[in-house]
């Protein structure tokens, strides 16, 4: 039950959204037990993001929420991969990207809770 909330400060084309969706779908498998099969994504562009008091360069905020525990040993690789995706596809520099992880233990789906 992963959810990735992606906010960027720039316009994205439909092709860029599709490519990022596919690449994030593959990347989520870096977290054991998670796959694209259960992944929900939000790809929001043109967000009013500010970093260091300014919005003069492309920025990204990526939140990854997972039902259950995220093993510490997969976080560095996951963050690296996400930064590579956004730098390659949207030319957002790695030092302009925040990645936040959240472990959730109260998660509902299909009319009930896990």
């Amino acid at each position: 039950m992963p959810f990735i909330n992606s906010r960027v400060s720039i316009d994205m084309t439909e092709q860029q959204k599709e490519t990022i969706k596919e690449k994030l779908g593959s990347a989520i498998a870096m977290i054991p037990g998670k796959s694209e099969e259960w992944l929900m994504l939000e790809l929001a562009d043109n967000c009013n993001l500010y970093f260091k008091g300014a919005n003069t360069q492309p920025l990204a905020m990526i939140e990854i929420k997972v039902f259950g525990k995220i093993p510490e040993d997969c976080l560095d690789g996951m963050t690296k991969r996400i930064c590579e995706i956004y730098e390659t596809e949207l030319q957002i520099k790695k030092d302009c990207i925040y990645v936040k992880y959240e472990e959730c233990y109260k998660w509902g789906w299909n009319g009930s809770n896990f």
Side-chain angles (χ1 to χ4, degrees):
M1 298 290 177
F3 174 69
I4 298 177
N5 185 1
S6 166
R7 291 185 175 96
V8 298
S9 63
I10 59 173
D11 285 325
M12 288 192 291
T13 67
E14 290 305 313
Q15 180 58 51
Q16 287 171 319
K17 289 178 183 179
E18 183 65 25
T19 300
I20 290 170
K21 177 194 73 75
E22 291 172 5
K23 289 185 174 187
L24 290 175
S26 294
I28 199 65
M30 296 176 76
I31 299 174
K34 306 304 174 192
S35 69
E36 185 177 24
E37 182 179 350
W38 290 98
L39 177 62
M40 185 179 285
L41 289 170
E42 177 184 22
L43 297 174
D45 59 354
N46 289 315
C47 295
N48 292 318
L49 298 175
Y50 293 80
F51 184 54
K52 299 181 181 180
N55 67 349
T56 56
Q57 55 190 340
L59 303 169
M61 175 66 199
I62 315 302
E63 296 176 291
I64 302 167
K65 299 179 185 196
V66 173
F67 177 70
K69 183 91 174 124
I70 303 171
E72 290 288 324
D73 62 349
C74 71
L75 294 178
D76 284 340
M78 184 75 173
T79 299
K80 180 180 179 185
R81 180 67 186 123
I82 287 170
C83 288
E84 289 169 349
I85 291 168
Y86 283 78
E87 188 171 52
T88 300
E89 300 304 324
L90 299 175
Q91 291 72 55
I92 299 176
K93 296 177 184 175
K94 294 176 186 175
D95 65 351
C96 292
I97 301 170
Y98 275 172
V99 182
K100 176 188 172 193
Y101 297 92
E102 186 175 336
E103 299 171 337
C104 301
Y105 294 94
K106 296 179 182 178
W107 200 292
W109 171 73
N110 196 24
S112 63
N113 296 302
F114 292 97

